[in-house]
Amino acid sequence: MRLVPARRHLSASRWQQQQQHSSARRSLPVHLACTTESAGQVDTNMADLGTTEPEHLLRGLRHLQECGGDEEAGGPPGTDRPSGGRGERVSAAEEEPWRRSRLPEAVRPRHYDLNVAVHMDNFTFSGDVGIDVECLKATRFIVLHADRLEVSSVAVTAKRPGGGAIRVQRHFAFPANQMLVLVLHRELRASRTYRLDVTFEAAIEDELLGFFRSSYGLGGQRRYLAVTQFSPTHARKAFPCFDEPAFKATFSLSLRHHARYTSLSNMPALDAAAAAGEDGWTTRRFARTPPMSTYYLAWAVCDFASRETSTEGGVTIRLLARPDAIASGAGDYALHITKRLLSFYQDFFKVAYALPKLDLLAVPKHPYAAMENWGLSIFVEQKILLDAQVSSASYQMELTMVVVHEICHQWFGDLVTPLWWEDVWLKEGFAHYFEYVGTDFLFPKWNMEKQRFLTDVLHEVMLLDGLSSSHPISQEVRDAADIDRVFDWIAYKKGAALIRMLANVMGQRLFRKGLNDYLLSHMYGNAARDDLWKKMSEVILCRVQAMRSEGRDIDVGAVMDRWTLQMGYPVVTVSKNPAGQLATRYISVSQEHFLYGQDGGRGNSSFQWQVPLTVAVGNGSRVSSETLIWIHNKTETHVMSEMDDKTWLLGNINQTGYFRVNYDLQNWKLLIEQLHADPQVISVANRAGLIDDAFNLARAGYLPQGVPLQLMAYLPEEASFLPWHAASRALYQLDKLLDRTDDYNLFSDYVLKQVATRYHQMGWPSNAVNGEGGVLQAAYQTEELQRELIMLACSFGNKQCHRQAVAYISDWISSNKNRIPPNIRDVVYCTGVSLMDEDVWEFIWMKFHSSNAVSEKKILLEALTCSDNAFLLNRLLNLSLTSELVAEQDAIDVIIHVGRNPRGRNLAWRFFRDKWDVLDARYGEALFMNSKLITGVTEFLNTEKELDELNEFIRSSGEGAGPAMPRALEIVKGNVRWHRLHRRHFYQWLRKGPAPVRRSPPGDVSLAA
């Protein structure tokens, strides 16, 4: 581990030394009435006022000011006349700041003393919070957040020698903005500090946000735990607070609960668990946190077991989970890689981890894969517990990347927090990018950042960002409903793709220096995108001469604002010898907004990007080094050397840029000939990119349908995993468009023809157990390719694949020993359930309930959705809403996977509509889950009838479901349009079959359908 300079290390760790705890609980004086008779009359008139008529409250307040007092000065009522009395005009915004969606900035919190008593017997909690606030601007109102809390008392006190209580004339809730309003008898004075004390109570909900409960079974008993999920706006459900990212403060927390439970929070406990009192309860106090946003505060009360380790720097790392999971060693893998990751990130960012400990908590249910609370990251069990005996390499890879993501957030998110939700990609984009960088550190042979990033991030998000319903990654956020909507794949995956593009333009050394400066400048604070651009531009200026010679001396803000403030991305068209007018050494480059469903080229004509286009020239045996060309205009002409009639052009080398590349048809023909003759001349990343670009350009109408199909015909010669993975993603998209058409066999036969040779060469894996180190082998890419080919072969009907899958299932049933290799169990289970009888379905259902391995339960449940039996699919859909049988987060996957089954698509679509009220009540507030459900159920609808049904559903029920519904409508319209415009040409090409690929004279182009 590289040592961190002392100054920076001390700066990062100074908060570890602040082990302050909250003072003893004090009584909370409440002043609610004026002492005069007239004021008493006004208070009586105000008694029925709530949130609907605050203007009456203001009229009453102006009357009440006649009997005001200066409690802060310690004098009797009436000794000081408050400002804002008769004759003064106060603006509506100042009079009613609770009507604005954002908190006023007149006061800011500096510290919270929070005490919470947790009643697990009746699932309620109660507490009191003391908030030290600084007044920045004189005000008579304190406005903060509270949601679903029963507030019993409030008090305000001046924090200065001789200070006293500030009379609270009235407090009330304003549910429309989830706010708690305190109306004071007199103004707070600027530059002074005050103490706000509030007592409250609420229920520990059975939903997945705020402070919620969960349960698990052990030894035939049901055990309960309670845990928090505050991001993005749900801390207000657990205690009154200033619940916006910029209102950072320190926190001192104490938790009181029955002694049979343990508790944990962001910071270490100040002392060992206190002995239980006579009532059987205990209180645990936690160290003071660094300044942090409310949504990163976290706590849990549970009876979990734990294992721990520590870093060389003394940071304690614990993993807590169900006792049986800890005993089986299911948490050991995550604990091991977390220790390595803390050292990796400290070395990469040159900033020390800021806290003395990091807990990883595995819970049975959670709205997301994980949450990066500072010092207490919470994971759903499926994303952190690993059983090496039954888990596949792909499952281990996914789990690894979730852990890598959350540990990165300890810097990007916790330490430096986006100023407001419009720039949430500043934390989520970085964490998603570093999923691949950090995983490469752990397992270099996986080659994640240069390969899997392309198919799993770049290609996937470009599908979404090519829709007219997309949005910029930096988007205006005004109210609470908008906040949840920014947590989508545009923020995560497009953010990651743009960060990767910037890193490649700047070079890794300068990129890392810029990140270091950004983190050091904003640690314990907030930042916006301009702060990042500023630091990146500063490091470029330090090497401006060298950067200029390489074409990389860019104004980062000017370049990146085009990519972050505009939706979508360009398609860059590269043409050689345009119209035969220019010499061979010139190329023409144009850019336009790429959109699906616009018949190839009618996006937003005002959109324009500064595009870092890398270009290379190749022929049958070699490819030139890349040249960087900055594209600033709609159309440009550039000089290229080493070019003649037989050379081809290749753009976006290794797919480091966030755009698609199109070519003239002759260049496409030359590239296809190259792939058939010797694919290795083109890099593996660009082979995958050509497949993805060709399929999506054809789907959007920029290319004839025959181009991607002719290109794909080279796959029997392809020996690398990544191009096959890109091809399978494209083929599955087409499969769901075609799987209910009369000519479907033409398509499935085409796929099987491409797969057959390589499938038979690779064969099936042995059933050797893949231990913790198994995926470290050089054979990882080979294993993934083998799995991909088996999946394609079984999915599209290869008879030998079907026989092998059935044999595996039959052996399992007869011997009660599962000899199926873990890496292909999901494929075998699904194939067996689809081909075999109802008894097999019941067998898999039984195994689902008896298995304790979370990875195994997941694929068993998904296998049940593969049945061809409509009765069984309907039964499963209905059982999915029974939380005792299927976890809430897993029910979404059941519905989606039934919808992916051609035999179940109509069933899932009908079930979704019939149960919408139930589903929306369960998942509606967690919009990310709701969006996943809506997209998953609707994305493969493709008939006019289904489009009409979707329109009717949106009109009658779905208008409040956020942006997922308009996006779903656009996708289904696109599916219907593709059938109308392209299906006939697509099948015509398949009937004719791919022509033999040969070297042809220029102009001999026959790629059109």
Side-chain angles (χ1 to χ4, degrees):
M1 182 180 73
R2 290 176 61 182
L3 295 178
V4 180
R7 178 182 62 82
R8 293 172 179 173
H9 179 76
L10 290 174
S11 175
S13 62
R14 66 180 186 269
W15 293 103
Q16 299 175 19
Q17 303 165 12
Q18 298 185 12
Q19 303 292 310
Q20 303 177 21
H21 59 270
S22 59
S23 58
R25 180 172 173 173
R26 67 181 68 185
S27 60
L28 302 178
V30 182
H31 301 275
L32 296 176
C34 185
T35 58
T36 68
E37 180 179 351
S38 61
Q41 180 63 47
V42 173
D43 196 57
T44 300
N45 294 338
M46 291 166 61
D48 295 328
L49 291 180
T51 61
T52 56
E53 295 183 307
E55 63 275 10
H56 295 171
L57 171 61
L58 270 297
R59 286 200 297 270
L61 282 174
R62 283 190 282 270
H63 190 91
L64 280 165
Q65 289 160 2
E66 296 298 324
C67 59
D70 190 357
E71 289 85 0
E72 182 178 347
T79 59
D80 187 23
R81 192 181 189 90
S83 62
R86 294 179 185 178
E88 291 192 32
R89 300 290 296 176
V90 182
S91 70
E94 183 179 349
E95 284 191 346
E96 301 181 354
W98 53 86
R99 290 194 177 278
R100 297 196 297 264
S101 61
R102 298 284 297 274
L103 291 176
E105 298 182 356
V107 297
R108 293 185 67 88
R110 297 305 181 196
H111 177 71
Y112 293 78
D113 287 312
L114 176 59
N115 307 294
V116 180
V118 182
H119 303 268
M120 295 297 290
D121 54 342
N122 63 2
F123 302 121
T124 63
F125 67 99
S126 58
D128 61 80
V129 61
I131 311 175
D132 295 337
V133 299
E134 178 184 359
C135 182
L136 303 180
K137 178 183 177 182
T139 180
R140 290 176 297 146
F141 306 110
I142 298 179
V143 183
L144 66 165
H145 288 110
D147 184 25
R148 306 184 193 179
L149 300 175
E150 186 70 31
V151 173
S152 54
S153 66
V154 297
V156 180
T157 309
K159 289 197 65 172
R160 65 185 183 89
I166 309 298
R167 181 180 298 176
V168 180
Q169 295 289 6
R170 186 167 177 81
H171 70 273
F172 61 92
F174 189 67
N177 287 331
Q178 300 176 344
M179 290 177 179
L180 172 65
V181 181
L182 279 69
V183 183
L184 306 179
H185 177 65
R186 66 175 311 281
E187 284 188 338
L188 302 181
R189 296 180 179 178
S191 302
R192 294 189 180 181
T193 57
Y194 299 86
R195 174 85 166 192
L196 166 62
D197 289 289
V198 186
T199 59
F200 57 92
E201 60 184 21
I204 303 173
E205 301 285 359
D206 189 24
E207 55 187 45
L208 301 177
L209 300 170
F211 189 26
F212 67 93
R213 67 183 185 266
S214 182
S215 67
Y216 66 96
L218 186 66
Q221 295 181 333
R222 179 60 46 182
R223 298 189 177 191
Y224 289 90
L225 61 143
V227 66
T228 59
Q229 169 56 36
F230 290 163
S231 177
T233 59
H234 306 292
R236 64 194 69 175
K237 289 182 171 67
F239 66 105
C241 56
F242 295 80
D243 201 13
E244 292 182 4
F247 287 102
K248 285 195 169 186
T250 55
F251 295 82
S252 295
L253 172 69
S254 72
L255 293 173
R256 180 168 169 76
H257 50 80
H258 197 278
R260 68 174 173 270
Y261 295 97
T262 188
S263 56
L264 53 155
S265 185
N266 307 78
M267 298 294 287
L270 285 172
D271 43 32
E278 293 183 2
D279 58 359
W281 282 54
T282 186
T283 299
R284 172 166 281 191
R285 297 173 300 136
F286 298 91
R288 188 184 185 117
T289 71
M292 56 191 278
S293 301
T294 48
Y295 72 93
Y296 282 133
L297 184 67
W299 65 80
V301 176
C302 60
D303 63 354
F304 282 176
S306 67
R307 288 195 182 176
E308 72 176 59
T309 185
S310 60
T311 67
E312 293 180 7
V315 177
T316 300
I317 306 169
R318 294 190 301 170
L319 189 141
L320 300 96
R322 293 178 282 110
D324 55 329
I326 293 296
S328 72
D332 293 353
Y333 173 75
L335 194 64
H336 169 68
I337 64 172
T338 297
K339 178 179 178 178
R340 295 183 62 199
L341 285 167
L342 281 181
S343 298
F344 165 72
Y345 282 128
Q346 288 185 128
D347 181 52
F348 195 100
F349 299 141
K350 300 295 182 289
V351 177
Y353 176 68
L355 303 186
K357 66 95 174 175
L358 173 58
D359 288 337
L360 314 175
L361 180 66
V363 297
K365 68 176 184 179
H366 197 268
Y368 310 109
M371 177 62 204
E372 70 273 10
N373 310 302
W374 210 355
L376 174 54
S377 291
I378 300 175
F379 298 75
V380 69
E381 288 180 338
Q382 292 177 358
K383 303 302 182 184
I384 196 169
L385 299 181
L386 180 74
D387 187 331
Q389 301 297 314
V390 299
S391 297
S392 66
S394 58
Y395 179 86
Q396 185 170 355
M397 183 188 73
E398 182 181 0
L399 183 153
T400 300
M401 296 176 72
V402 172
V403 175
V404 174
H405 181 109
E406 301 309 320
I407 305 306
C408 178
H409 271 314
Q410 305 296 308
W411 284 264
F412 284 91
D414 298 347
L415 183 65
V416 179
T417 309
L419 184 65
W420 184 236
W421 300 109
E422 63 192 7
D423 283 330
V424 73
W425 69 271
L426 279 178
K427 70 184 188 78
E428 297 302 346
F430 271 103
H432 205 62
Y433 171 66
F434 275 99
E435 283 183 32
Y436 296 82
V437 177
T439 303
D440 274 343
F441 162 76
L442 295 172
F443 306 119
K445 292 175 181 176
W446 289 12
N447 209 7
M448 300 295 290
E449 189 271 332
K450 288 182 171 58
Q451 293 198 15
R452 282 298 283 262
F453 187 95
L454 304 184
T455 52
D456 298 1
V457 179
L458 183 66
H459 297 173
E460 184 169 325
V461 74
M462 291 178 106
L463 289 171
L464 289 176
D465 207 22
L467 300 172
S468 62
S469 55
S470 185
H471 59 80
I473 60 169
S474 290
Q475 54 179 326
E476 187 175 13
V477 176
R478 292 186 175 182
D479 55 39
D482 292 329
I483 292 171
D484 278 312
R485 295 171 185 176
V486 303
F487 287 85
D488 64 4
W489 285 136
I490 298 296
Y492 283 67
K493 293 181 181 288
K494 183 175 181 177
L498 294 183
I499 290 164
R500 179 173 178 265
M501 181 171 71
L502 178 61
N504 277 277
V505 168
M506 292 181 64
Q508 285 297 320
R509 190 170 70 86
L510 289 186
F511 177 70
R512 291 175 67 166
K513 180 63 170 66
L515 295 185
N516 172 250
D517 289 353
Y518 170 77
L519 290 170
L520 288 176
S521 297
H522 300 285
M523 60 198 310
Y524 303 111
N526 300 89
R529 61 183 177 275
D530 286 343
D531 298 311
L532 177 64
W533 305 152
K534 178 182 178 183
K535 292 303 174 185
M536 292 298 181
S537 290
E538 287 174 359
V539 298
I540 288 176
L541 285 173
C542 292
R543 292 191 70 249
V544 64
Q545 293 301 326
M547 297 293 281
R548 182 173 297 133
S549 66
E550 300 169 6
R552 300 175 190 272
D553 58 326
I554 59 172
D555 180 337
V556 175
V559 171
M560 296 306 294
D561 277 350
R562 295 286 186 97
W563 295 95
T564 58
L565 301 179
Q566 290 180 155
M567 62 173 276
Y569 55 87
V571 52
V572 176
T573 300
V574 182
S575 301
K576 187 170 59 174
N577 291 335
Q581 297 175 355
L582 299 175
T584 304
R585 62 194 183 96
Y586 285 92
I587 61 170
S588 174
V589 184
S590 63
Q591 61 163 300
E592 61 179 293
H593 181 203
F594 176 91
L595 275 183
Y596 294 102
Q598 303 298 316
D599 300 330
R602 287 199 292 274
N604 191 320
S605 60
S606 66
F607 285 1
Q608 198 165 305
W609 291 264
Q610 295 189 41
V611 182
L613 175 66
T614 48
V615 185
V617 176
N619 56 32
S621 59
R622 61 177 293 272
V623 61
S624 70
S625 57
E626 66 185 67
T627 300
L628 174 62
I629 302 172
W630 281 98
I631 309 301
H632 301 281
N633 304 303
K634 290 286 187 180
T635 302
E636 298 182 2
T637 301
H638 292 272
V639 176
M640 286 295 295
S641 60
E642 304 182 51
M643 227 170 37
D644 59 36
D645 291 342
K646 296 180 180 180
T647 56
W648 40 259
L649 293 164
L650 185 65
N652 197 13
I653 305 303
N654 293 322
Q655 289 215 287
T656 57
Y658 185 71
F659 47 88
R660 298 197 184 280
V661 181
N662 196 9
Y663 308 96
D664 59 83
L665 285 178
Q666 175 61 21
N667 198 74
W668 275 112
K669 183 175 181 61
L670 292 171
L671 286 169
I672 291 171
E673 288 174 348
Q674 181 67 63
L675 289 172
H676 282 261
D678 184 2
Q680 301 301 318
V681 171
I682 298 174
S683 72
V684 64
N686 277 116
R687 298 201 300 272
L690 286 169
I691 291 169
D692 186 70
D693 277 348
F695 264 93
N696 285 282
L697 289 166
R699 184 169 180 178
Y702 293 85
L703 278 179
Q705 299 301 305
V707 172
L709 294 171
Q710 183 75 34
L711 187 153
M712 189 85 75
Y714 98 93
L715 282 173
E717 307 301 321
E718 180 58 71
S720 295
F721 162 72
L722 189 70
W724 274 104
H725 192 48
S728 70
R729 294 171 68 91
L731 290 169
Y732 283 124
Q733 290 288 325
L734 285 170
D735 179 61
K736 299 309 174 188
L737 282 173
L738 299 169
D739 61 11
R740 296 179 293 176
T741 61
D742 294 337
D743 292 324
Y744 176 73
N745 284 342
L746 284 172
F747 175 64
S748 61
D749 288 346
Y750 165 83
V751 176
L752 290 175
K753 182 179 180 181
Q754 312 313 315
V755 171
T757 301
R758 190 63 60 176
Y759 164 71
H760 289 296
Q761 286 177 353
M762 297 290 293
W764 284 62
S766 68
N767 61 353
V769 172
N770 186 24
E772 180 180 312
V775 291
L776 295 173
Q777 302 170 8
Y780 166 74
Q781 297 282 350
T782 302
E783 291 175 2
E784 286 297 276
L785 174 57
Q786 186 179 54
R787 168 187 157 77
E788 198 79 55
L789 292 166
I790 292 170
M791 188 181 304
L792 284 165
C794 280
S795 297
F796 285 93
N798 180 285
K799 299 301 182 185
Q800 192 277 336
C801 192
H802 284 178
R803 287 193 297 270
Q804 182 66 58
V806 169
Y808 266 129
I809 295 290
S810 298
D811 175 69
W812 184 17
I813 293 172
S814 62
S815 67
N816 202 30
K817 293 182 179 179
N818 191 342
R819 300 185 178 94
I820 306 168
N823 215 36
I824 57 168
R825 284 188 177 181
D826 56 342
V827 182
V828 172
Y829 293 174
C830 181
T831 304
V833 167
S834 68
L835 295 175
M836 301 171 79
D837 59 21
E838 185 175 341
D839 290 342
V840 172
W841 194 95
E842 296 290 354
F843 175 80
I844 298 293
W845 177 249
M846 177 191 69
K847 291 296 183 182
F848 165 70
H849 285 290
S850 63
S851 176
N852 291 320
V854 292
S855 61
E856 184 75 353
K857 289 182 75 73
K858 180 178 186 291
I859 61 174
L860 286 165
L861 183 61
E862 290 178 359
L864 294 167
T865 70
C866 299
S867 175
D868 283 351
N869 187 315
F871 171 79
L872 293 176
L873 293 175
N874 262 324
R875 176 183 167 192
L876 182 63
L877 287 169
N878 286 298
L879 289 171
S880 70
L881 295 185
T882 306
S883 58
E884 290 78 12
L885 298 175
V886 179
E888 290 184 18
Q889 66 265 18
D890 295 335
I892 289 178
D893 291 327
V894 169
I895 301 168
I896 290 172
H897 280 81
V898 171
R900 289 177 179 173
N901 182 342
R903 301 294 181 89
R905 193 161 305 154
N906 291 335
L907 301 177
W909 174 223
R910 185 184 309 115
F911 181 83
F912 172 82
R913 287 174 290 162
D914 291 344
K915 302 294 184 181
W916 171 249
D917 289 343
V918 175
L919 294 168
D920 192 44
R922 178 184 284 192
Y923 305 114
E925 196 166 2
L927 276 182
F928 193 88
M929 298 181 74
N930 215 23
S931 177
K932 176 184 175 182
L933 173 63
I934 293 167
T935 301
V937 170
T938 61
E939 65 180 329
F940 298 123
L941 304 178
N942 55 50
T943 68
E944 292 282 0
K945 177 177 179 292
E946 289 166 341
L947 177 58
D948 292 341
E949 291 170 346
L950 178 59
N951 271 310
E952 173 58 25
F953 174 74
I954 293 173
R955 186 195 64 77
S956 62
S957 304
E959 292 183 352
M965 283 298 183
R967 182 168 62 243
L969 184 62
E970 182 181 358
I971 290 172
V972 176
K973 284 181 177 178
N975 293 343
V976 172
R977 184 187 302 110
W978 187 90
H979 275 276
R980 185 175 68 251
L981 297 179
H982 302 304
R983 186 177 74 182
R984 181 172 61 86
H985 300 294
F986 185 88
Y987 276 132
Q988 279 179 353
W989 191 95
L990 288 177
R991 287 189 185 93
K992 185 172 61 175
V997 176
R998 56 184 175 81
R999 290 288 182 182
S1000 305
D1004 182 15
V1005 178
S1006 57
L1007 294 172

